Amino acid sequence: MNKDDIQENLIKIGRNIVQEKGPDFLTARKLSEASGYSVGTIYNQFGNMDNYILIQNYITLDTLYHNLIKVQKNSSYEKLNEYIRIFAEFVLQNRFLWHMLFNFHLNCTDRLFSVTYLRRVSMIISLFEKNLTDLYQGLEFKKRHAFVEVLWITLFALSSLLTTSALETYSKINATKICELLLNTYLAGIKVSERIG
Amino acid sequence: MNKDDIQENLIKIGRNIVQEKGPDFLTARKLSEASGYSVGTIYNQFGNMDNYILIQNYITLDTLYHNLIKVQKNSSYEKLNEYIRIFAEFVLQNRFLWHMLFNFHLNCTDRLFSVTYLRRVSMIISLFEKNLTDLYQGLEFKKRHAFVEVLWITLFALSSLLTTSALETYSKINATKICELLLNTYLAGIKVSERIG
DNA sequence: AAAAAAATTGAACAAGGTTCATTTTTTGTG
DNA sequence: CACAAAAAATGAACCTTGTTCAATTTTTTT
């Protein structure tokens, strides 16, 4: 069997483990048992478990991105709201995968990080920015970019809470509703700032 | 030596380890070495490491709360901004402790969770809510409470990113500035919603 | 001072990531 | 096809986690 097939197999099987049992069950030995390959083979293929998980994570980001670009709405306002809805839904339906993505302790000085994570995140941010540009044409570029960055960072951060049971304890508000309220309050706030200057 | 003294000692020494080297270095054995007590004693005192870290975490929450209630400002608007400033500053200056707090996988069904975490978080939320009530008197209770909850959850989520080097890669905006922009845009957004109804 | 109770200890266990000498498989060549 | 060389796969072994518990030491009680 060639190298790509093994990798593909190991990725698929690992994703099943995570989706069904959670990230804690994705260990080298369990992956070895589930796949039939030895522990050593996993290390030959991926170097180490961190790198393996990094790959799993950017697949998750890719999947999200492809869900987002499917959106067909007329107004930029509707699009932004749909993005948030899809984002929240995706996070909730793939909570284990998202949990793994968010809780991964990456070494950001690593070039690998830029290639795998940053590029993908930038693409998602661009989707938001495009529609925010349409929506608030009075805003200068620099300001608008700051608004978009803060919005994304906030949503991204928020998403990590959506996947935990902690949220249910902190708040009785539905996870999707939280994202919606945040977005719309935030957008209304930008409008004010646009008017002021 | 009596039980409280040992616990106090172990907590203090553990906090030093976390502050200086990060949560990863807070292991039972390293704590044992650093304190002079055996591993067994740590387990006699705290039951398990999770419980030990839980205690560390609510001390962190208490410290934050005590920093917040010191705020002396006239207007509610100023107070809210000062809260956010102090919150961001606290998180940044205690990033390892905050990281440990945020990344702790707690079992929320556990009664212990309610007593230790939820009560403390509620107290912090109350601070925000009190000033938001003054600021937006036109809002009905239910709506206002939703705004406060979402604001806190968002800030709390955001804080977890502030402590990682990931943020620096995602955004060139200063961590405190992110919190400030978020708060003020959000507050402006609430004002709009207040006017509308 | 002896007995009983309580507290402390650290070796030992399971499970995690990781390594690497050994074995197996594949590839290349006459 | 046969044989050598290269490549890939293997899993026992190592170290580090959290955790337990029989044995030991200390404290308290009588």
Side-chain angles (χ1 to χ4, degrees):
Chain A
M1 192 175 289
N2 97 11
K3 192 151 181 166
D4 279 346
D5 285 344
I6 300 179
Q7 288 206 359
E8 221 172 284
N9 248 317
L10 284 169
I11 294 286
K12 260 186 206 162
I13 292 167
R15 277 184 108 68
N16 280 340
I17 294 177
V18 175
Q19 299 247 38
E20 280 165 26
K21 305 191 173 177
D24 291 350
F25 288 80
L26 188 58
T27 70
R29 281 175 186 75
K30 282 184 185 128
L31 186 57
S32 161
E33 271 178 44
S35 66
Y37 300 109
S38 70
V39 196
T41 295
I42 296 170
Y43 275 81
N44 289 341
Q45 296 290 326
F46 299 101
N48 55 49
M49 284 310 283
D50 268 14
N51 191 47
Y52 172 78
I53 291 170
L54 190 77
I55 293 173
Q56 292 281 13
N57 287 346
Y58 75 68
I59 292 175
T60 304
L61 276 181
D62 281 348
T63 313
L64 168 62
Y65 180 74
H66 282 110
N67 283 10
L68 288 176
I69 55 173
K70 277 188 213 146
V71 168
Q72 299 281 346
K73 291 282 177 187
N74 289 327
S75 76
S76 291
Y77 179 76
E78 279 176 311
K79 261 192 194 154
L80 282 170
N81 268 284
E82 187 70 0
Y83 285 159
I84 265 63
R85 204 192 55 74
I86 289 176
F87 177 68
E89 190 185 314
F90 180 84
V91 168
L92 290 174
Q93 285 190 352
N94 301 277
R95 47 190 293 267
F96 283 149
L97 287 173
W98 197 257
H99 198 255
M100 186 165 74
L101 174 91
F102 196 90
N103 282 27
F104 185 57
H105 297 313
L106 28 69
N107 184 5
C108 300
T109 54
D110 203 335
R111 226 191 108 270
L112 195 65
F113 171 75
S114 303
V115 185
T116 55
Y117 272 29
L118 199 56
R119 191 171 60 78
R120 287 173 170 84
V121 168
S122 299
M123 283 168 70
I124 295 175
I125 291 183
S126 296
L127 287 180
F128 284 90
E129 183 150 24
K130 193 181 167 308
N131 289 286
L132 228 100
T133 307
D134 293 344
L135 209 54
Y136 304 110
Q137 305 198 350
L139 278 180
E140 51 178 318
F141 166 79
K142 207 176 163 187
K143 245 189 167 177
R144 191 177 61 224
H145 194 72
F147 277 128
V148 173
E149 270 197 4
V150 171
L151 177 61
W152 161 256
I153 289 169
T154 304
L155 281 172
F156 183 64
L158 198 51
S159 70
S160 77
L161 273 184
L162 299 190
T163 60
T164 70
S165 54
L167 191 66
E168 294 158 29
T169 324
Y170 285 131
S171 167
K172 296 297 160 217
I173 308 174
N174 173 284
T176 314
K177 283 263 181 290
I178 291 177
C179 291
E180 280 173 10
L181 183 63
L182 175 68
L183 171 71
N184 289 298
T185 311
Y186 189 79
L187 290 183
I190 296 180
K191 196 154 210 76
V192 173
S193 147
E194 184 189 30
R195 232 179 284 133
I196 295 170
Chain B
M1 191 177 287
N2 96 10
K3 193 154 179 163
D4 280 346
D5 285 343
I6 300 179
Q7 289 207 359
E8 221 172 288
N9 248 318
L10 285 169
I11 293 286
K12 261 186 205 162
I13 291 166
R15 276 185 108 67
N16 279 339
I17 293 176
V18 176
Q19 299 248 37
E20 280 166 26
K21 304 190 173 180
D24 291 349
F25 289 80
L26 189 58
T27 70
R29 280 174 186 78
K30 285 191 183 121
L31 186 57
S32 162
E33 271 177 41
S35 65
Y37 300 110
S38 71
V39 195
T41 296
I42 296 170
Y43 275 79
N44 289 340
Q45 295 290 328
F46 299 100
N48 56 47
M49 283 308 284
D50 268 14
N51 191 47
Y52 171 78
I53 290 170
L54 191 77
I55 292 174
Q56 292 282 13
N57 286 347
Y58 75 67
I59 291 175
T60 303
L61 277 180
D62 281 348
T63 312
L64 168 63
Y65 180 74
H66 282 111
N67 283 10
L68 289 176
I69 56 172
K70 276 187 211 150
V71 168
Q72 298 281 346
K73 291 281 177 187
N74 289 327
S75 75
S76 291
Y77 179 76
E78 281 176 311
K79 260 192 194 155
L80 282 170
N81 267 286
E82 187 71 0
Y83 285 158
I84 264 65
R85 203 190 56 74
I86 289 176
F87 177 68
E89 189 185 316
F90 180 83
V91 168
L92 289 175
Q93 284 189 352
N94 301 277
R95 47 190 294 265
F96 283 148
L97 287 172
W98 196 258
H99 198 254
M100 187 165 75
L101 175 90
F102 196 89
N103 282 26
F104 185 57
H105 297 314
L106 27 68
N107 183 4
C108 299
T109 54
D110 202 335
R111 227 192 108 270
L112 194 64
F113 171 75
S114 303
V115 185
T116 55
Y117 271 30
L118 201 54
R119 191 171 60 76
R120 287 174 169 84
V121 168
S122 299
M123 284 167 70
I124 294 175
I125 291 183
S126 297
L127 288 180
F128 284 90
E129 183 149 24
K130 192 179 168 308
N131 290 285
L132 229 101
T133 309
D134 293 344
L135 209 53
Y136 304 109
Q137 303 198 350
L139 279 180
E140 52 178 316
F141 167 78
K142 207 176 162 187
K143 247 189 167 178
R144 192 178 59 225
H145 194 72
F147 277 128
V148 173
E149 270 196 3
V150 171
L151 177 61
W152 162 255
I153 288 169
T154 304
L155 281 172
F156 184 63
L158 198 51
S159 70
S160 77
L161 273 185
L162 300 190
T163 60
T164 70
S165 53
L167 191 65
E168 295 159 28
T169 323
Y170 285 130
S171 166
K172 296 299 161 214
I173 306 174
N174 174 283
T176 314
K177 284 265 179 289
I178 291 176
C179 291
E180 280 173 10
L181 183 64
L182 175 69
L183 172 70
N184 289 297
T185 310
Y186 190 78
L187 290 182
I190 296 179
K191 196 153 211 76
V192 174
S193 148
E194 184 190 30
R195 232 179 284 136
I196 296 170

